Amino acid sequence: MRHKLRATTVAMAALIVVTTTAVAAEPERIDPEALIEQILTVYERQHSQIKDITFDAEYVEGEESDEGFVEKVRLIKTIYTKYTNDSALYREKFHEYYKDGELQPEKELEKEAKERIKRRMEHNQRTAGHPMLEPFFPDQRDDYNITYEGVNYDDVEGHICHEFLVRSQVEDADHLNGTYYFDADSFRLVRCDFSPAKLVKKTFFRLNTLDMTIEYGFDVDSTWWLPTRFELEGSGKAAIFFGVNFSGTEYFRNPRVNTGLADSLFEVNYD
């Protein structure tokens, strides 16, 4: 979703030193609202230039056991995202499906792909095209409590970061609670650890926990700041008796920006 952001000189002046020296400043001297204003300005600067993105992606899913992570599923796919004035079109094209380490035939690939696409649409799952900064957007701020935690000097994916704690005031699966880390020099989102404000609880499946992390970085040409990895880990109960622990990681590689993706690529096949 594209948002018109106003970058004012007042906000810039209130943000005491938005360079490396900002890291050395006392947290109480940094105006959080001015900092958020600058974060959104940096976000919109890139977002306004990107019309579409294509990723090569690899998704690995499994379960945690006493021996560690056990791979159950591996999917090789291409992800397409096209941005319109007020939304993002999204499509996945699946190429290979591995189950317990074995490459599955085309028929099984098609079946697995249809099931995952159906599940994503029914549950309104977040994708790589979803704006993670949504809680900071002016038209969403009333739904969230946002607290500036100061400068995090620990290594956050190789960055010193401004840290924000985000808590939703709306309890539903579309809102989130999370911790956001923004690079102290560039104001770009480095990592977000988050979970839904409300977990899915249905008759045959109940989620007890669902923790997710998304990380960002430059592409190989250092032109675009884009998602690089998405992780999820959760637990739940299927049917009545069976406990389920699961985790998955999706890797985003070889991004291609503004290749002119056609709208027809995103037409839904209801079959």
Side-chain angles (χ1 to χ4, degrees), residues 79-191:
I79 294 175
Y80 307 92
T81 304
K82 182 173 183 176
Y83 297 97
T84 63
N85 290 334
D86 57 358
S87 64
L89 305 175
Y90 181 87
R91 184 191 172 187
E92 297 169 296
K93 184 177 181 181
F94 293 82
H95 306 294
E96 296 177 8
Y97 168 39
Y98 296 83
K99 184 176 181 181
D100 297 325
E102 296 290 332
L103 179 63
Q104 300 299 297
E106 188 71 20
K107 183 178 180 180
E108 292 301 313
L109 169 64
E110 292 177 0
K111 180 180 177 182
E112 182 72 11
K114 286 181 180 180
E115 178 59 33
R116 288 181 176 270
I117 291 171
K118 178 183 176 182
R119 192 185 314 160
R120 171 174 58 79
M121 296 177 71
E122 287 180 346
H123 296 171
N124 194 25
Q125 294 175 352
R126 288 177 178 266
T127 68
H130 197 98
M132 286 305 300
L133 291 191
E134 195 172 58
F136 296 84
F137 292 160
D139 60 352
Q140 299 290 325
R141 286 292 298 274
D142 288 345
D143 289 350
Y144 291 92
N145 290 323
I146 299 178
T147 306
Y148 178 56
E149 297 290 295
V151 176
N152 188 317
Y153 291 92
D154 295 333
D155 188 334
V156 182
E157 313 305 324
H159 299 262
I160 294 174
C161 292
H162 294 291
E163 181 178 334
F164 285 87
L165 188 66
V166 172
R167 291 293 178 266
S168 175
Q169 299 186 77
V170 180
E171 288 193 10
D172 65 20
D174 294 329
H175 289 70
L176 60 86
N177 299 319
T179 304
Y180 285 72
Y181 301 91
F182 297 92
D183 179 68
D185 288 336
S186 67
F187 310 102
R188 297 185 178 97
L189 180 61
V190 173
R191 191 179 83 203

Side-chain angles (χ1 to χ4, degrees), residues 82 84 89 261-267:
K82 182 173 183 176
T84 63
L89 305 175
L261 298 179
D263 290 345
S264 58
L265 181 65
F266 303 92
E267 292 177 356

Side-chain angles (χ1 to χ4, degrees), residues 11 13 17 21-22 28 47 79 165 217 240:
V17 196
T21 54
E28 59 268 20
H47 189 60
I79 294 175
L165 188 66
I240 300 174

Side-chain angles (χ1 to χ4, degrees), residues 61-64 72 204-210 233-247:
E61 183 179 283
E63 297 178 357
E64 295 295 338
K72 296 294 184 182
F204 296 104
F205 184 77
R206 296 169 63 88
L207 268 177
N208 296 326
T209 63
L210 180 59
E233 184 172 344
S235 64
K237 180 173 289 188
I240 300 174
F241 303 105
F242 300 103
V244 178
N245 295 310
F246 59 90
S247 61

Side-chain angles (χ1 to χ4, degrees), residues 6-19 31 33-35 37-39 41-42 45 187:
R6 58 182 182 82
T8 64
T9 23
V10 175
M12 291 298 295
L15 182 58
I16 310 287
V17 196
V18 280
T19 59
D31 180 355
E33 291 303 319
L35 183 56
E37 184 100 18
Q38 181 65 1
I39 287 167
T41 299
V42 169
R45 186 180 301 139
F187 310 102

